[in-house]
Amino acid sequence: MPMQLQLIPPGTRMEASADGASFNISESATRTFLCRLTVTDQIEQESLDVSIWGSADGETWPKRPLLKLPQQFYRGTTKLVLDLSLRPEVKFIRARWDLNRWGRVAPIPMFVAGMDLMEIPPMSRETPTKRLVLAAG
């Protein structure tokens, strides 16, 4: 059964930069995840930066993220793949969001968003594949 994680629960109201809860991914078969960030509400003149961080013990977090999603300004959904298959030392992951506001009206930024991860299942060896033949010429 593929792992499903909610690094940021749907409908989370964000008014300050913060770290999400950490999740143990050591039981993941493929260590490859489809990340989906969905912004459902925001105010104008602000930005949201979301990143995913990895740790070996769930206590010590490095200075650089594993993945940075594109900066968000508006409502919508962004999808990226997080591949940890070559990072066996990473046992825990968590999200971090950073908010920035430059408008004059409301001094506090506000986004409503959620981010879920779905483990990408391994491909079966019996899955037929098509080979592309390139013509020399």
Side-chain angles (χ1 to χ4, degrees), residues 69-85:
L69 282 82
Q71 191 173 54
Q72 303 296 304
F73 300 96
Y74 304 106
R75 297 174 191 161
T77 300
T78 302
K79 297 176 188 175
L80 284 177
V81 172
L82 173 64
D83 184 357
L84 299 174
S85 60

Side-chain angles (χ1 to χ4, degrees), residues 5-9 12 14 18-25 50-55 58-59 61 91-97 115-117:
L5 307 170
Q6 289 186 340
L7 291 188
I8 304 171
T12 298
M14 305 168 176
D19 294 314
S22 65
F23 292 87
N24 186 339
I25 60 162
V50 176
S51 51
I52 299 176
W53 297 74
S55 170
E59 299 293 325
W61 299 89
K91 304 275 191 272
F92 295 87
I93 59 173
R94 73 177 181 193
R96 169 154 185 85
W97 54 90
M115 185 166 77
D116 59 82
L117 274 64

